[in-house]
Amino acid sequence: GCLAPLHCTAPGKAMLAFLPDAEQDAVLSRLKLERHTERTIVTKRDLTTEIERIRTHGYALDKGEHFEGISCVAAPILDLHGHAVGAVTIAGPSSRFPASGMAERGRLIRQQADRIARAFLS
């Protein structure tokens, strides 16, 4: 295992997007947006835009933002209040994660995250 930055990984962004607003604001105020690749989000404005996209679609993407050549899709596992308690993710070589299939992978991961949440909440 390793620690990975919130701002440039799909599971990190998925969980960040679904934190309670006050907690999200506190995290964003402390977050250092360090560049890892040419595609890493490095401004709060761009990260805020990405968080809005994630909330709308229900899943997050990492298209080589943390590691060059690695893409990832993740969806948050939400509690009864709609706040993230974990995330489900798949990752692989970017050559096997074409942009044309990312939305479908996102929907599938979102379904699995919802299934996991229902199992825990039952």
Side-chain angles (χ1 to χ4, degrees):
C2 67
L3 297 177
L6 289 175
H7 71 289
C8 63
T9 60
K13 291 188 292 185
M15 291 184 65
L16 181 61
F18 288 90
L19 288 175
D21 290 339
E23 190 174 341
Q24 184 184 93
D25 291 343
V27 170
L28 288 173
S29 72
R30 296 187 317 266
L31 199 58
K32 292 183 178 144
L33 302 177
E34 296 175 358
R35 182 175 298 283
H36 293 267
T37 73
E38 288 300 314
R39 286 171 291 290
T40 303
I41 294 172
V42 293
T43 69
K44 300 267 178 161
R45 181 175 159 189
D46 288 345
L47 184 56
T48 300
T49 300
E50 178 71 355
I51 286 169
E52 290 171 13
R53 190 204 64 75
I54 294 164
R55 284 183 172 180
T56 299
H57 291 92
Y59 61 87
L61 304 174
D62 165 1
K63 300 179 205 170
E65 296 168 45
H66 186 220
F67 293 116
E68 198 66 51
I70 301 295
S71 291
C72 186
V73 181
I77 299 169
L78 303 176
D79 67 12
L80 289 172
H81 305 287
H83 302 142
V85 295
V88 177
T89 186
I90 56 172
S94 296
S95 61
R96 295 181 57 195
F97 275 69
S100 61
M102 294 299 257
E104 179 61 23
R105 283 186 178 93
R107 285 189 292 277
L108 292 171
I109 288 293
R110 171 80 260 141
Q111 290 171 355
Q112 293 307 309
D114 290 345
R115 195 174 123 248
I116 291 167
R118 282 191 306 274
F120 280 113
L121 298 174
S122 301

